Amino acid sequence: MDVRRAAERYSGGDPATGIESRHAFSFGPHYDPGNLRFGAVVACNEERLAPGAGFDEHPHSHTEIVTWVVEGELTHRDSTGHETVVRRGDLQRLSSAGGVRHVERNDGPGPLTFVQMWLAPLVPGGDPSYDLVRGIADSTPYAVPRAAAMLHVRRLAATERTAVPDGAYVYVHVVRGEVRLAGVDLGPGDSARITDAKDLEASGITAAELLLWEMAAG
């Protein structure tokens, strides 16, 4: 198990325009050949947008983009015609496939924080697609077949335990709170990269929220 702390993330964004980004993997000017991906995950970005701030229209291709809102409201528009507002507890997926353009903004009255995870598809190309799950239930797995990946959302009370999925690759991201994973304490923004995960569990030190990716391929 390879633990990466929140303080080790690469800083990005443009604070002067209300955008603060923290990257868990090599990203943009922060090129690190030893930290390009884990399993199918090639990016796990913590984004904070002030009211009125956002990312203007920009392109993506050959990437499965999964977004989890921590607080606030995320306005999403894309070139396939989708325009939605994503809120806390909602799960958004954009399969950029052969190419898509989108806009992400904070048009709400308060600050916006979201976690965005990019996964590499098994086969590039295809047609873009979009999905939005409102208020995804705890412990309900969400499949991303194009990347041979499954996302598990876990919300734990203090002292509550949960099994970590078995898998060739498991990526764990702590959204909020503190947890103990295989004897290691993790806090907000911390992550763990587990190879050949089997019979592991996480427990809440405090009330906590986790995102766990179960992946078959790397």
Side-chain angles (χ1 to χ4, degrees), residues 105-161:
R105 297 196 56 80
N106 179 7
D107 291 332
L112 165 65
T113 302
F114 63 96
V115 179
Q116 190 168 91
M117 298 153 287
W118 299 3
L119 286 77
L122 297 174
V123 179
D127 295 324
S129 64
Y130 180 83
D131 190 26
L132 177 64
V133 180
R134 295 288 190 191
I136 190 167
D138 185 49
S139 301
T140 300
Y142 181 84
V144 183
R146 288 183 175 180
M150 188 87 71
L151 178 64
H152 303 262
V153 178
R154 295 285 191 271
R155 302 177 182 95
L156 301 176
T159 74
E160 185 179 359
R161 298 172 179 269

Side-chain angles (χ1 to χ4, degrees), residues 73-86:
E73 299 180 348
L74 171 64
T75 297
H76 164 94
R77 294 190 296 274
D78 65 49
S79 54
T80 64
H82 297 98
E83 182 168 350
T84 54
V85 176
V86 189

